[in-house]
Structure formats: C-alpha cells, structure tokens
Amino acid sequence: MTKNNGKSRDVIKVVDRAVDEFHAGQEDLIPILMHINQEFGYIPKEAMEEISSRMHIPQSQIHSVASFYQMIHTKPTGRHVIKFCESAPCHVSGGREVWKAIQETLKLKPGETSSDGKWTLTTTSCLGVCSVGPVMMVDEDIYGNITPNQLPEIFGKYE
Ligand code: FES
C-alpha cells in the first residue's frame, strides 16, 4: 500500500485517474474507492468531494458505501492494519480470548488507531480459513491457530 497522506493535488490526480480507468459509471464506485484506498490507506475528504463531483453521486452516498466495506477506510489508518476474524467458527475455537488479549496488548478498541500511528485494529468476517481459527490478518499476512501468548512475537515482526 502506498501511504500518501499528501497534498490535495495528488488526491485529485489519483481520483481522476481511477474514475477515467473505471469509466465512472455508478456501478464502478466500489473499484474506484478500493483503488483510492490502496493509494492513500483511506479515502481522503478531498477524494470524496472529487468523486462526488465527477460521478454525480452525493457525498453521503459515497461515505455510506465506503463505510459498509471493511476493506475501505474512511479515516487515516495506522502503518499496520489488524483484521481479526469475528465469525462464529473462529469465535468458538478460542477467538474470544485472543480478541480480548489483542485489545489489551495494544490498548486499542475496534476501529481505533494507536497514538503513535503504528496500529489500526479492526474486525472482519470469515477469511475463508476457518480450519485454522482463530485467525487474524496483519496487513497482507494471515495468522492462524493463534493463542494469546503468540501475540507479542507476531506484533514484534512489524515496525
Ligand atoms: S470463521 Fe474465521 S476464518 Fe472463517
């Protein structure tokens, strides 16, 4: 992910390129949002405004679509995003204890970003690897069969 929390001009350039590439039909809103999220790590306010004006979609609608998808962020995220699987198979295979331990270790609640900008903690629905639950993703890495005592080692891999 290219984190570029930079200038509005860059945001507008990225939005324009994405809108042109995906043809700007309303059905293309999700791929456009995904692309912008990939570039900036979230959807900057200027991007919402630009998409709204280019695609003639109200900003409130864009915001509600962006908020619905867990992989799209409407606020700046930390350098590393943790997605913990909260679906039932992971939950019953020890996920509850691991989830509690993650929040205690990082001192974060779901949706929060640490004050040093390192971590953002989120949940996700099933990641499709239920046989190795509990499961979490850190950025693009998937960890299975996690126990609370493995957390320091896992988190220690990320700077
Ligand atoms: S329920 Fe967690 S990966 Fe499927």
Side-chain angles (χ1 to χ4, degrees), residues 108-124:
L108 290 176
K109 300 253 178 275
E112 287 183 347
T113 295
S114 58
S115 54
D116 61 0
K118 182 170 182 182
W119 301 107
T120 293
L121 182 61
T122 65
T123 57
T124 179

Side-chain angles (χ1 to χ4, degrees), residues 22-91:
F22 292 101
H23 309 303
Q26 294 218 354
E27 67 283 2
D28 302 311
L29 179 59
I30 294 163
I32 288 169
L33 290 173
M34 301 270 284
H35 179 85
I36 294 163
N37 192 77
Q38 179 81 14
E39 285 285 324
F40 297 101
Y42 75 111
I43 311 294
K45 190 172 177 298
E46 297 97 319
M48 294 254 185
E49 291 164 1
E50 184 67 8
I51 297 168
S52 173
S53 111
R54 288 274 322 252
M55 298 179 71
H56 310 290
I57 302 173
Q59 282 188 51
S60 57
Q61 190 182 331
I62 298 167
H63 191 273
S64 88
V65 170
S67 307
F68 180 78
Y69 290 92
Q70 289 170 334
M71 63 284 252
I72 298 174
H73 301 280
T74 54
K75 291 188 290 195
T77 57
R79 295 192 297 285
H80 305 290
V81 178
I82 298 166
K83 294 177 187 160
F84 186 78
C85 175
E86 61 175 357
S87 293
C90 275
H91 192 71

Side-chain angles (χ1 to χ4, degrees), residues 120-135:
T120 293
L121 182 61
T122 65
T123 57
T124 179
S125 49
C126 180
L127 291 163
V129 286
C130 326
S131 59
V132 294
V135 172

